[in-house]
Amino acid sequence: MLFPEGVAIDGKTGEVTPSTSRYSKKLSDLRGFFHDPKALESKIAQEGDATVYEVIDYRHEESDLAFGTTIMWPGKVGEEYYLTRGHFHVRRECGEAYYTQSGAGLLLLESREGETRTVDMKPGVCTFIPPDWAHRSINTGPEKLIFTWFCATDAGHEYGEIQKRGMRKLVIDQDGKSVLADNPNYAG
Ligand code: PA5
Ligand code: NI
């Protein structure tokens, strides 16, 4: 049986206490996701295999609701800002909410029909992700981007499509500003 409990979420570090699981992704885990593979390899060679993001979960399979935090380090590969893999949910009727606690970023979303939208991620903003929109978080700021997400426990992550074809748009640094650009490698 599950019992109620208070879960502490530290908006400055992203720590979740108690948590049920965690994982992190390094630069080398994100091969194929950044648009400039050469820039990625030279960054790994020169600076090492840095962590790009960490996800900390509070999740009980017996419950319909799960939540947790994603902590994204600041950085770029070439001119492209650090990003998450991006996914649709396996259960297409499942949306999600992202509540940003620290840092600054952009949520890049793409519908099945190919429409692109972005939502600014900044402290205090809760982003509504409608069902069946692919979503990728991008840290466009100089600090860690930390957000808490709330989702159906069994929504599932479908990575294959975005991994295979990419997203239509990229978020790049142009003279210190984050700009939405066409993805030259988009293979849809
Ligand atoms: O469920 C979500 O949307 C988030 O918890 C993401 O999984 C998390 O931000 C990491 O991104 P991705 O799963 O696209 O690598
Ligand atoms: Ni999701």
Side-chain angles (χ1 to χ4, degrees):
M1 185 161 125
L2 291 175
F3 290 95
E5 68 179 332
V7 178
I9 295 180
D10 186 327
K12 289 276 167 265
T13 65
E15 198 52 59
V16 177
T17 311
S19 62
T20 54
S21 59
R22 63 176 69 212
Y23 70 85
S24 55
K25 292 288 171 199
K26 293 175 178 230
L27 286 166
S28 62
D29 298 317
L30 297 171
R31 287 190 171 109
F33 291 96
F34 291 101
H35 88 283
D36 185 345
K38 277 194 193 141
L40 178 61
E41 296 312 324
S42 71
K43 190 174 174 83
I44 294 172
Q46 282 164 26
E47 299 169 30
D49 196 7
T51 299
V52 177
Y53 63 97
E54 182 176 10
V55 178
I56 310 177
D57 281 34
Y58 182 85
R59 175 185 298 273
H60 293 289
E61 296 309 323
E62 310 93 299
S63 169
D64 61 339
L65 185 67
F67 57 90
T69 60
T70 300
I71 302 147
M72 296 188 72
W73 273 251
K76 284 181 288 185
V77 171
E79 79 278 25
E80 189 174 17
Y81 293 102
Y82 277 8
L83 45 72
T84 60
R85 288 167 289 177
H87 58 268
F88 286 99
H89 291 150
V90 176
R91 279 187 49 206
R92 294 183 173 208
E93 72 278 23
C94 291
E96 189 163 0
Y98 278 10
Y99 181 68
T100 301
Q101 279 154 314
S102 3
L106 210 62
L107 188 62
L108 176 64
L109 302 109
E110 204 174 288
S111 71
R112 293 272 180 197
E113 291 72 33
E115 251 190 88
T116 295
R117 289 281 190 283
T118 59
V119 181
D120 282 334
M121 299 175 80
K122 51 188 178 187
V125 172
C126 189
T127 305
F128 169 58
I129 301 168
D132 226 15
W133 281 73
H135 42 288
R136 161 177 287 164
S137 311
I138 296 151
N139 186 350
T140 56
E143 317 282 345
K144 280 184 180 171
L145 172 65
I146 297 172
F147 59 94
T148 299
W149 45 265
F150 306 84
C151 193
T153 307
D154 63 355
H157 294 86
E158 183 208 314
Y159 292 107
E161 194 170 331
I162 299 297
Q163 184 163 17
K164 200 169 60 201
R165 63 161 167 83
M167 292 183 83
R168 287 166 171 79
K169 299 285 179 184
L170 304 171
V171 183
I172 57 172
D173 175 356
Q174 234 172 48
D175 306 322
K177 279 198 173 152
S178 57
V179 170
L180 194 65
D182 287 335
N183 176 4
N185 303 333
Y186 177 67

